[in-house]
Each structure stands twice: as C-alpha cells, then as structure tokens.
C-alpha cells in the first residue's frame, strides 16, 4: 500500500517538476503576465495541498480501528489506534501530517458544541484545542496518548441536550442513563492526530468515525467529512450481519458509488476447527451474498476480511495468516478505487489549466513573430527607395502610433465601468451578505421552535443563497461580455492576436451548496414532526451548514478577486508589446533615414530575431508537451502487501 501511494506521489511530483520547468523558462523568455503567474501559482499550490482522504464508518465493536491499523500502520510494528472490545473511538478522529505542527494530538473539547460554531470553524482557532505532544521514540507512551479518543464523562441530561447529544423522545437513549440519571458523552468533540507516517506525509488523510449514531448527531461528519472523502469503507461484522441502523446509514449517508466499499470484518469468528476449509469458505460466501442482497450490491462489492488476523500476519510476517485474512483483496480494491479516481480528477483539472496556459503564451509569441515579420517586410520594401519614401513610412508609423494611443484613452473609460461592475459583483456575493443571512436564520429559528418555522427558515436561506449566486453570475457575465468586446476591438483595430479573457463560473460553488442542501433535506426534510430536542440538533447542523456556506462564499470571493485582477492581464501585456514594437519600428526607420544604420544589417538582425522566436516557440511547445506527458503518465499497482 505504501508503494501504491509512493507511485501516486511520484506522478504528482513529476507534474510539479515539468510545470516548474515551464514556469522558469517562460519567465526567462519574458512571456509571463499576471494571469500566467496566477495560473501556475494556483496549480502548484493545489498540487502541494493535494490530499487523499479515506473514511471508515461503522457501528462500535466492528473492528474499525483495527482495520485502519492493519491497512495503513502494520509496518509500524504495533497498533497506532487503540483497538479493544467495546467503543474505542468516541469522537471523530483524523490522522494526517502537517509539517507546520509538531507530532501531536489536538483535541477539541465537547463543550464547544454549545456554541454556534462548527468543528471547521475551530480549525482556525488554535487556542480552542488541547494539544498533547507525541513521543515518537516511545511507542507505549504514544499509544497511551491515543487513548484520549476513547475517553468519556458523565453529564446531566440537560447538559447533553444542550450539546445536541440526547433526545428525550428516543427510547433507545433513555435506557442508556445510569442509576443517577446521567448521560455518558465523549470527552472530546474532535481529534486530529498529526503523525509523520510515510503515507500521511504523502497526503493521505484517514478519518476514524465513532459509532453510527454519531453520523446523525455530528454535523461535521454528515455534511463535510464523509461526503467529501475520496473513499468510504463501511464496515460490518460477520457475526452480526447488517443491522437496521447499518441499513439506514448506508442508504442515507453513504450508498453505492465510486470509492464506496463494504467490508465484512471478523470472518475469523467463523473459522471452526471442526469444519473443513471449504465449509468455512461456503459459510463466508453465504454471509457475503446476504449482505450484498440487503444493501443492493453485487457480492464482489462486499469484502470479507479479518482485520485482526491481517495485522498479526503483517507484523509477524506470517504470509499464510495474512492470505487467510483476505485483506490483500480489499487493499487492491481500495487502491483501484481511490488513487485512479483521484488522479483522474487532478489530471482533468491540470489538462484544462495547461490548455489555457499554453494558449496564452503561444499567442504572445505569435504576436512577437508577427511584429518581426511586419518590420522585416517594411525594411525589405525600403531596398532601393529614396529618402522621401522612407520619410513617408515614418509618418505613417507615427499616425499608427497616435491612433493606438487614442485607443488607450477609450480603454481608461472602460476601466471605470469595470470598476463599477466589480463593486456590484462583491455586493452580490460579499461576506457581509453571508453573515446577515446566517444571523437572519438563527433569529427565525429562535422565534419559532416548531417544525414548520424551522423548516421555512432553512428553505428561505437556501433560496437566498441561490438568488445571490444568480445576481453574481449576472455581473460576471456582464464583465466578461464587456471585456470580450474590448479584446475584439483591439484585435480588429490594431491586428493584435488576443485570446478572449479567462472565463469565470460559480458552478462548482452552486454544486457544493446543492450537495449541502441535499444532505440537510435527507436528514430533516421528510420528517412530519420535530421535537424540541430535534430542533436543537437541527440548530447544530445549521452551525456546520453556515460554516460550509461561509467557506464556499469565501473561496468564491477569492476566485472572483483573482479573476478580476488578471482579466485584463493578457490585453495589457499585448498593449505593452505592441507599443514597444511601434516604438522600435519608428526608431529603426528613423536611423535608416538618418543613414546611421545599414539597411542590410538591420534586415539581418530582424531575421536573426525571427529565427530566435521560432526556436522559442519550439521550446515552449516542448515544455508544454513535457507537462502533458507528465499529466498523462500511467503507473501500475505494485504488490499491495509491500
């Protein structure tokens, strides 16, 4: 598995290297502008921050943490996550590596659920987290620190209700009260383990979830972490099969699709010395077929394994035990689902960026070539001509230069309109609108503690978001059309080779909001009655929804700001280049008129420049081709047990 991820990282690094070579060369050849620098910078940043996330979802005592240990951490020679009978993961736990933090476990107190902030909001508040260092040289000490994710405390019912962790109308929860009427809750709301494991260093993020009940009560899981995971492993136990709660979570929160795998764990409970291996395998196949039928899957989509035996087999180098655990089949499927799917997403984005990038640089070089060709034509036409003809040509170029300068005054008037439209765009999608909308929903929820009022508040909220996006897209279209007219006018009037401005779309942000809305309605939209405790839970969900919407609008604002900064960059670069060419043409002919330069020497110099530009075009295509080769490079899965 490590080698699989190493191959993906090597592919990504190959793309980075090719892109940096391209960046360095175009800068040296003076072929960059603000739009080019932004495109390359953002692409490199995305590649550097590229993550592959795998979520493990299961009811407690299904061997979820043991499966994580077996797949990812067996090479460490011991369990990383605590694994024992009963509940060992009480809060959502992320395993990742961020070099800006020391090896540690960061823990968010459960009390933060009483505030109107999501887990995501707290990621930008270091002071809210309890940080415990990890001693990487002392495995036993590290294992003790990891046990924090399983700690709980007893609280009164009212406190649990305030956190949205107790529903008095749920009979299954009432029986969990102890003799003092107290509720057991997790000590922590969220845990982030920053651990320098090779896989985590290469961008893997592992999410270990609490029991299935948390899927419905922890909004961060339901609205963010699980839907956005590149792979989700849904773990069942061979000795229990599919329970009612399993079916509900599968249908409502996971479901069949790319990167969604079902694991039938603990098949070692079916190993029986009094039965033959064939009989045992037949029983496992029957259970596998039954699980597939209940979840509406093909049997091949359900993977029977023994995580515990696989871990032992890997650590003790017992190949026979590892083979009998069947883990290698699951690892192969995980690799074939996760990495190629993620790579295809990145590859598509890179291909689109490369096409736009190389098109802009090629246009700039073609404009330079055209300028040289025009000057050569002018100079060659001067062979054998007298001084009056040369003087006439000087006057013609001077008129052309004045006409071009007049066009620049028109450009300044367009800039004023551009500034106004930009301000109107920010008014449509600014963070002030987002904040006011969130406050309005919270006020409406507080005024109406009943189902209809709360549902109406949420319906109005999503409608207003849609209208804000509609207004913003209208403004971006106005700006694009105005800039397109300007680009075409300069191209027609002055013979410039100009690609149309970079397009801008809010579609991916619309899709993100639509996904959030769909999850919300799946969770709450079909209910006919919402109790007081469910209203509290809905408010907790709204905290996370509001956080996701804020993040979505912030990213959209950043993208819009970046787009507005560079939308004129290609035009401005061509204007500067055209002005320089006019200036040089006039100066060249002036020197020939004054007999200070030899005409033939000047022609030779321009022909040499033309050859250099053609060589630059060839080199640009070569470097763009190298990026394309790196993007489309293939790799094959190696031995998953490696």
């Amino acid at each position: 598995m490590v080698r699989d991820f190493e191959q993906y990282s090597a592919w990504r690094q190959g793309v980075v290297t090719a892109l940096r070579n391209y960046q360095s060369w175009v800068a040296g050849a003076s072929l960059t502008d603000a739009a080019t620098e932004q495109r390359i910078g953002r692409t490199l940043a995305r590649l550097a921050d590229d993550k592959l996330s795998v979520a493990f979802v299961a009811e407690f005592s299904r061997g979820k943490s043991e499966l994580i240990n077996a797949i990812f951490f067996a090479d460490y020679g011991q369990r990383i996550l605590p694994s024992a009978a009963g509940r060992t993961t009480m809060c959502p736990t992320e395993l990742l590596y961020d070099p800006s933090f020391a090896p540690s476990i960061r823990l968010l107190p459960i009390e933060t659920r009483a505030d109107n902030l999501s887990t995501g909001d707290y990621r930008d508040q270091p002071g809210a987290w309890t940080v415990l260092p990890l001693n990487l040289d002392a495995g036993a000490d590290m294992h003790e620190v990891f046990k924090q994710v399983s700690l709980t405390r007893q609280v009164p019912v009212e406190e649990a209700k305030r956190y949205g962790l107790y529903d008095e109308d749920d009979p299954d929860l009432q029986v969990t009260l102890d003799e003092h009427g107290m509720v057991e809750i997790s000590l922590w709301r969220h845990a982030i383990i920053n651990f320098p494991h090779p896989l985590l260093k290469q961008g893997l993020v592992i999410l270990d979830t609490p029991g299935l009940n948390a899927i419905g009560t922890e909004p961060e899981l339901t609205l963010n972490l699980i839907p956005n995971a590149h792979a989700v492993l849904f773990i069942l136990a061979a000795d229990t099969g599919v329970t009612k709660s399993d079916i509900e979570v599968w249908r409502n929160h996971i479901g069949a699709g790319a990167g969604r795998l079902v694991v039938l764990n603990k098949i070692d409970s079916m190993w029986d010395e009094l039965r033959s291996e064939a009989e045992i395998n037949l029983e496992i196949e029957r259970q596998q077929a039954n699980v597939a039928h209940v979840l509406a899957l093909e049997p091949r989509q359900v993977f029977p394994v023994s995580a515990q035996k696989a871990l032992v087999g890997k650590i003790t180098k017992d190949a026979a035990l590892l083979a009998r655990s069947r883990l290698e089949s699951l690892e192969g499927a995980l690799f074939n689902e996760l990495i190629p799917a993620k790579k295809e997403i990145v590859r598509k984005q890179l291909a689109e960026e490369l096409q736009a990038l190389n098109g802009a640089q090629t246009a700039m070089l073609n404009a330079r070539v055209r300028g040289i060709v025009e000057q050569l034509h002018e100079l060659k036409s001067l062979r054998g001509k007298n001084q009056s003809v040369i003087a006439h040509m000087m006057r013609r170029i001077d008129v052309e230069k004045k006409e071009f300068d007049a066009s620049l005054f028109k450009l300044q008037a367009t800039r004023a309109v551009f500034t106004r439209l930009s301000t109107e765009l920010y008014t449509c999608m600014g963070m002030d609108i987002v904040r006011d909308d969130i406050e309005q929903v919270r006020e409406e929820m507080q005024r109406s503690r009943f189902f209809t009022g709360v549902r109406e508040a949420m319906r109005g909220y999503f409608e207003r978001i849609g209208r804000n996006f509609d207004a913003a897209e209208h403004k971006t279209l106005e700006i694009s059309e105005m800039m397109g007219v300007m680009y075409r006018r300069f191209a027609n009037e002055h013979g410039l080779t100009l690609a149309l401005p970079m397009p801008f779309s809010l579609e991916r942000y619309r899709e993100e909001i639509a996904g959030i809305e769909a999850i919300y309605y799946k969770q709450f939209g079909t209910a006919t009655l919402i109790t007081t405790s469910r209203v509290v839970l809905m408010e907790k969900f709204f905290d996370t929804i509001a956080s996701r919407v804020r993040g979505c609008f912030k990213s959209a604002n950043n993208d819009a700001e970046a787009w507005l900064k560079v939308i004129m960059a290609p035009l401005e670069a061509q204007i500067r280049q055209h002005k320089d060419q006019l200036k040089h043409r006039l100066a060249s002919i002036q020197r020939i008129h004054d007999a200070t330069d030899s005409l033939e020497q000047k022609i030779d110099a321009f022909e040499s420049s033309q050859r250099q530009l053609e060589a630059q075009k060839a080199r640009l295509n070569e470097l763009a081709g190298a990026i394309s080769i790196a993007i489309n490079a293939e790799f094959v899965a190696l031995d998953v047990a490696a």
Side-chain angles (χ1 to χ4, degrees), residues 2 6-7 30 62 107 111-112 140 172 184 204 210-211 221 233 296 320 413 474 477 484 508 512 524 570 588 602:
V2 175
E6 284 176 346
Q7 286 191 329
S30 300
R62 301 289 171 82
L107 300 155
E111 289 80 5
T112 58
D172 294 332
E184 182 186 31
L204 178 68
L221 289 176
L233 274 65
H474 180 71
L477 184 61
R508 74 184 184 97
E512 183 177 345
F524 297 104
S588 295
K602 205 66 180 174

Side-chain angles (χ1 to χ4, degrees), residues 420-589:
R420 175 178 61 78
L421 291 175
S422 300
T423 302
E424 291 173 359
L425 172 60
Y426 287 130
T427 302
C428 296
M429 56 187 287
M431 299 309 292
D432 288 345
I433 287 179
V434 176
R435 182 200 62 220
D436 293 344
D437 259 355
I438 291 170
E439 290 178 357
Q440 180 178 335
V441 175
R442 288 208 171 105
E443 289 173 1
E444 290 172 351
M445 283 184 167
Q446 289 299 317
R447 285 198 302 268
S448 177
R449 306 290 293 178
F450 299 100
F451 167 68
T452 53
V454 172
R455 172 135 74 174
E456 186 63 24
M458 291 302 299
R459 186 191 62 78
Y461 179 59
F462 285 116
E463 285 184 354
R464 288 194 299 276
I465 291 174
R467 288 197 296 270
N468 289 338
F469 275 136
D470 287 342
E473 285 199 322
H474 180 71
K475 289 301 173 186
T476 60
L477 184 61
E478 273 193 79
I479 293 171
S480 293
E481 289 177 346
M482 182 190 72
M483 294 303 298
V485 169
M486 187 194 308
Y487 270 54
R488 284 188 289 271
R489 189 180 73 230
F490 266 86
N492 293 333
E493 290 180 358
H494 305 291
L496 303 184
T497 305
L498 287 168
L500 289 177
M502 279 196 304
F504 182 78
S505 173
L506 292 168
E507 188 58 34
R508 74 184 184 97
Y509 299 110
R510 282 187 181 276
E511 291 175 357
E512 183 177 345
I513 297 296
I516 295 170
E517 186 176 7
I519 294 171
Y520 159 75
Y521 279 118
K522 187 177 284 188
Q523 190 82 3
F524 297 104
T526 58
T528 56
L529 176 67
I530 294 186
T531 62
T532 301
S533 55
R534 291 289 285 172
V535 169
V536 172
L537 179 58
M538 186 182 285
E539 289 173 343
K540 298 303 174 193
F541 265 75
F542 179 68
D543 293 340
T544 299
I545 289 171
S547 176
R548 288 285 305 279
V549 170
R550 271 197 303 268
C552 183
F553 269 82
K554 185 176 180 181
S555 296
N557 273 271
N558 289 340
D559 281 355
E561 182 180 4
W563 175 66
L564 292 171
K565 282 182 178 178
V566 302
I567 191 171
M568 286 194 180
L571 176 61
E572 290 173 336
Q574 289 276 27
I575 286 172
R576 286 194 300 271
Q577 187 166 293
H578 192 67
K579 286 183 71 174
D580 288 343
Q581 286 177 350
L582 288 173
K583 180 181 176 181
H584 292 149
R585 284 169 63 194
L586 188 61
S588 295
I589 297 175

Side-chain angles (χ1 to χ4, degrees), residues 162-435:
R162 191 165 70 251
Y163 301 151
L165 296 174
Y166 185 81
D167 185 350
E168 58 191 4
D169 299 299
D170 186 340
D172 294 332
L173 288 179
Q174 291 179 25
V175 300
T176 64
L177 299 177
D178 67 10
E179 65 273 18
H180 304 294
M182 304 285 275
V183 182
E184 182 186 31
I185 65 172
S186 173
L187 187 63
W188 307 107
R189 180 180 182 181
H190 198 86
I192 300 176
I193 297 174
N194 194 51
F195 185 67
H197 185 278
L199 289 175
L200 304 182
K201 282 185 173 182
Q202 291 168 34
L204 178 68
V205 176
I206 300 169
L207 173 64
D208 187 9
T209 64
L212 298 183
N213 185 54
I215 306 301
T217 58
E218 178 46 65
E220 189 76 4
L221 289 176
T222 310
L223 290 163
N224 189 15
L225 297 176
I226 292 176
N228 291 326
H230 299 104
V232 177
L233 274 65
F234 187 54
I235 303 141
L236 309 170
D239 51 358
T240 60
V242 187
T243 66
K244 181 181 177 182
S245 60
D246 289 327
I247 295 172
E248 289 177 355
V249 169
W250 174 257
R251 290 176 179 169
N252 295 330
H253 301 292
I254 304 174
R260 270 51 184 162
L261 308 177
V262 175
V263 181
L264 187 62
N265 194 21
K266 299 189 176 183
I267 60 171
D268 54 292
S269 66
M270 304 170 73
W271 296 353
D272 186 347
E273 290 78 3
L274 299 180
R275 291 192 295 174
S276 68
E277 193 71 20
E279 290 175 317
I280 293 171
N281 288 338
L282 188 61
E283 182 63 26
I284 291 173
E285 287 173 11
R286 274 199 294 265
Q287 186 72 306
Q288 180 183 12
N290 179 62
V291 168
H293 175 72
V294 173
L295 298 181
L297 299 170
E298 294 293 327
R300 59 182 174 77
Q301 295 175 280
V302 179
F303 296 86
V305 303
S306 171
Q308 194 271 334
K309 299 306 179 188
L311 181 62
V312 172
K314 284 187 175 184
I315 291 175
T316 62
K317 310 298 182 185
D318 187 336
L321 183 61
L322 178 59
R324 198 178 185 201
S325 76
R326 305 194 186 191
L327 185 70
E328 291 173 309
S329 176
L330 173 62
E331 288 182 325
L334 179 60
F335 166 74
N336 289 328
E337 287 277 355
L338 174 64
I339 296 181
K342 174 62 174 173
K343 182 180 176 183
E344 192 55 38
I345 293 171
V346 176
R347 174 186 280 164
K348 184 179 179 181
Q349 293 172 340
L350 290 170
E352 291 172 354
E353 286 292 334
L354 176 61
Q355 184 177 6
L357 187 68
N358 196 48
Q361 271 40 74
T362 300
M364 197 176 292
L365 266 179
N366 285 337
R368 291 182 184 180
V369 170
R370 190 185 65 252
I372 291 292
V373 169
E374 288 175 354
Q375 292 184 70
L376 269 173
H377 177 73
E378 286 177 343
L379 292 174
K380 288 179 180 179
S381 70
L382 295 179
R383 284 172 169 156
K385 298 293 190 298
N386 58 33
Q387 291 289 314
S388 63
V389 172
I390 297 174
H392 173 72
M393 186 173 288
M394 287 172 56
R395 288 193 296 272
R396 193 186 71 193
I397 296 173
D398 189 51
V399 169
E400 189 177 334
K401 182 175 180 298
K402 288 177 179 177
E403 289 175 349
F404 189 75
D405 289 340
S407 295
L408 297 184
F409 282 109
K410 297 178 185 177
L411 176 62
Q412 295 303 319
T414 307
R415 280 184 179 276
V417 179
F418 175 79
T419 301
R420 175 178 61 78
L421 291 175
S422 300
T423 302
E424 291 173 359
L425 172 60
Y426 287 130
T427 302
C428 296
M429 56 187 287
M431 299 309 292
D432 288 345
I433 287 179
V434 176
R435 182 200 62 220

Side-chain angles (χ1 to χ4, degrees), residues 69-136:
N69 286 324
I71 294 177
F72 298 107
F73 299 118
D75 290 344
Y76 204 73
Q78 67 175 58
R79 290 183 175 92
I80 295 299
L81 291 180
S83 177
R87 305 187 69 169
T88 55
T89 304
M90 293 297 296
C91 66
T93 302
E94 291 179 85
L95 289 94
L96 49 81
Y97 181 65
D98 183 344
S100 64
F101 289 90
S104 60
I105 178 169
R106 283 174 281 161
L107 300 155
L108 186 64
I110 196 68
E111 289 80 5
T112 58
R113 280 184 66 105
D115 300 326
N116 291 331
L117 292 174
S118 72
T119 302
D121 293 324
Y122 282 108
R123 290 177 188 268
D124 298 325
Q125 298 184 23
W129 299 74
T130 297
V131 182
L132 302 177
L134 294 179
N135 184 356
L136 302 180

Side-chain angles (χ1 to χ4, degrees), residues 628-639:
S628 183
I629 290 170
I631 290 172
N632 293 302
E634 297 294 342
F635 58 79
V636 296
L638 299 178
D639 180 7

Side-chain angles (χ1 to χ4, degrees), residues 29-103:
S30 300
L31 286 170
T32 55
D33 54 31
T36 301
E37 291 169 359
Q38 184 191 94
R39 271 198 174 104
I40 295 177
R42 294 180 72 177
T43 302
L44 288 171
R46 277 203 303 269
L47 286 167
D49 196 43
D50 184 41
K51 303 292 184 185
L52 294 113
S53 58
V54 182
F56 289 73
V57 179
E59 190 55 279
F60 66 89
S61 294
R62 301 289 171 82
K64 174 170 43 64
S65 298
E66 192 78 324
L67 185 61
I68 296 174
N69 286 324
I71 294 177
F72 298 107
F73 299 118
D75 290 344
Y76 204 73
Q78 67 175 58
R79 290 183 175 92
I80 295 299
L81 291 180
S83 177
R87 305 187 69 169
T88 55
T89 304
M90 293 297 296
C91 66
T93 302
E94 291 179 85
L95 289 94
L96 49 81
Y97 181 65
D98 183 344
S100 64
F101 289 90

